[in-house]
Amino acid sequence: MPNTETTSRNDLGTAPVQRLFFRFYVPSLISMASIAAHQVINGIILGQQVGKEALGAIGLYTPVLLLFIAFVLSIMIGGGILFARHVGGGRLAEARHVFEVATTLVLGVGTVAALSTPWITGPLVSWLAAGQSPIMVQYTTECTYWNLLFTPFFLIRVLWGGFLSNDNAPGITKNATVLAAILNIVLDLVLVVVFPYGVAGAAIATGLALLVAVVYLAVAIERRKGHLSLRRFRLGLRFTEWPELFRLGFPSFVSEVSVAFGFFLINRSLLPYGALAVSAFGVVNLLSNLFLRLFTAAMLAIQPIMAYNIGARQPHRVIETLRFALLFTFMVGVGVYLIGFFGSDLLINIVSADESDEFKQVATRAIMLSFILFAATGPNYVLVMYIQIIGQATLSTLTNVVRGFLLIALLLLVLPEPLGMHLNGVWLARPLAEVLLLLGLGLFLWYRRDRFFSDDTILRTRS
């Protein structure tokens, strides 16, 4: 057994859980922040250079983005769990094959989306921006067209970053993201500020940055001595573990799809309150996409640690990881809520400094109420990921549907009109859904703790 200090500190089966968590958390945070950061960078520059309608267009495109995230996360997480289990159990050829089939599937879907862009953009925008002003429709069309065109690079960037983390190399993903973020800023300044291409220029800047990130990841995979390889890579979809991959990844897909429908319902509920409310929701989306990465990163950080230790038959380390992540995400969530409550004016000025006082008033109220969700969403992410990893796919899927869609739909029916909360009720729908889910799921798991936290339950998931 290797006995060097470096190996001991980084070994998924022996290193202290807290140290491992942060070793994966920081690169995962930067990696997942790239999904939001490209949108945030675009949004800040567009908000200053083009106006609130540009931010509204990004908000209207969010459901489409979430659908693509749902797909790639389901493959990345399902494939990543299988990959880490195989590595933990010493089945290295099987681990490499998981990477090959996952890449083939994701690349195929992304290519189809890109080639279909000229034909699907119009109908999609008609659905996303129904009833909006001509300028909002124009901006949404530009945002949708160029983002769809660069879909293959977006999907591969996310997938390979996840597999590299499961291959104990999260730092490579971090480097790729920093490179892409810097390039994105430079191209935004060129294509939006110097050459006024507006929303289209910002979307092109994001796409080109993602392309460079994919090239960097490809080179890095080949240069390091890990379990991933492109030199021996073969495209193919023949895979005996498809059922297990989809079973492990399906809850993530359902989660993101449910969130997308939840966003759509909130968008629709805001239409009667006018353009200011829709644009304010664009600001909330922009900021939420940034802060939510703090919790998505924690969810992704525990996945390789837990999955590896299941393969290595060490259930006590799985539970230790769960406990630490729950405490960490709750503390971070409270901190983010306090930032939104006391610093909403500052956040708005960062992205929309030149807007009217009326808009700032609406957006301030939206942030103060919407940020309540962060107190609960982190522990929810961690609990759902744990349930998913131990193979409780039905409960994980049901939880994601209830949280992302059903509770939001119910609260939107009850809060705005029947209870007379009007616009405040719309802002509170998603936060209260997260809080209610945490209370319900937490009590249920605690009551059935012998079933969900026993060694036998954890080890039954071993591939």
Side-chain angles (χ1 to χ4, degrees), residues 142-193:
E142 294 174 2
C143 180
T144 301
Y145 181 89
W146 289 105
N147 276 288
L148 286 177
L149 205 61
F150 284 103
T151 297
F153 306 115
F154 170 74
L155 297 180
I156 290 295
R157 161 70 185 84
V158 175
L159 182 74
W160 284 1
F163 268 92
L164 280 163
S165 292
N166 278 282
D167 198 26
N168 212 3
I172 293 178
T173 300
K174 175 195 66 177
N175 295 339
T177 307
V178 171
L179 174 64
I182 294 173
L183 181 59
N184 200 166
I185 294 172
V186 172
L187 291 175
D188 273 337
L189 293 173
V190 173
L191 297 177
V192 179
V193 179

Side-chain angles (χ1 to χ4, degrees), residues 67-358:
L67 287 174
F68 281 120
I69 293 174
F71 166 70
V72 71
L73 282 185
S74 68
I75 304 303
M76 185 191 80
I77 291 176
I81 293 172
L82 279 179
F83 179 89
R85 285 185 193 172
H86 285 315
V87 172
R91 301 178 294 276
L92 304 184
E94 290 92 333
R96 284 191 291 271
H97 190 51
V98 173
F99 171 67
E100 291 175 346
V101 296
T103 299
T104 301
L105 179 60
V106 166
L107 184 61
V109 171
T111 301
V112 170
L115 294 177
S116 303
T117 297
W119 295 277
I120 64 176
T121 298
L124 196 55
V125 171
S126 297
W127 177 64
L128 294 171
Q132 296 297 316
S133 65
I135 190 64
M136 190 77 85
V137 172
Q138 176 189 335
Y139 289 161
T140 306
T141 300
E142 294 174 2
C143 180
T144 301
Y145 181 89
W146 289 105
N147 276 288
L148 286 177
L149 205 61
F150 284 103
T151 297
F153 306 115
F154 170 74
L155 297 180
I156 290 295
R157 161 70 185 84
V158 175
L159 182 74
W160 284 1
F163 268 92
L164 280 163
S165 292
N166 278 282
D167 198 26
N168 212 3
I172 293 178
T173 300
K174 175 195 66 177
N175 295 339
T177 307
V178 171
L179 174 64
I182 294 173
L183 181 59
N184 200 166
I185 294 172
V186 172
L187 291 175
D188 273 337
L189 293 173
V190 173
L191 297 177
V192 179
V193 179
V194 178
F195 299 100
Y197 293 130
V199 175
I204 293 171
T206 298
L208 293 176
L210 290 170
L211 170 60
V212 171
V214 169
V215 172
Y216 173 85
L217 290 175
V219 173
I221 287 173
E222 280 307 299
R223 286 186 175 179
R224 68 182 295 267
K225 296 180 179 179
H227 302 113
L228 303 176
S229 175
L230 295 177
R231 187 169 300 171
R232 300 188 300 270
F233 183 91
R234 292 184 178 182
L235 292 172
L237 294 174
R238 296 183 62 182
F239 188 47
T240 59
E241 292 186 285
W242 275 124
E244 181 70 0
L245 188 151
F246 285 126
R247 187 176 72 86
L248 292 170
F250 185 68
S252 297
F253 177 81
V254 171
S255 174
E256 297 297 332
V257 170
S258 297
V259 170
F261 277 110
F263 269 103
F264 177 72
L265 291 177
I266 295 173
N267 266 324
R268 290 294 182 179
S269 299
L270 288 171
L271 293 179
Y273 298 97
L276 286 180
V278 174
S279 296
F281 189 49
V283 173
V284 171
N285 278 340
L286 191 68
L287 297 171
S288 294
N289 283 340
L290 175 63
F291 286 113
L292 281 173
R293 300 311 125 187
L294 295 169
F295 309 103
T296 307
M299 177 185 72
L300 295 178
I302 67 174
Q303 182 259 302
I305 302 172
M306 288 184 175
Y308 181 95
N309 281 285
I310 288 173
R313 301 188 65 81
Q314 299 191 90
H316 65 283
R317 288 178 60 82
V318 177
I319 296 299
E320 186 181 355
T321 304
L322 173 65
R323 289 172 177 164
F324 177 77
L326 286 173
L327 177 62
F328 174 78
T329 53
F330 176 73
M331 293 175 61
V332 172
V334 172
V336 173
Y337 167 69
L338 294 176
I339 290 174
F341 188 83
F342 293 106
S344 55
D345 290 339
L346 175 62
L347 294 174
I348 292 169
N349 285 329
I350 291 175
V351 298
S352 302
D354 297 330
E355 296 297 337
S356 66
D357 291 338
E358 184 181 7

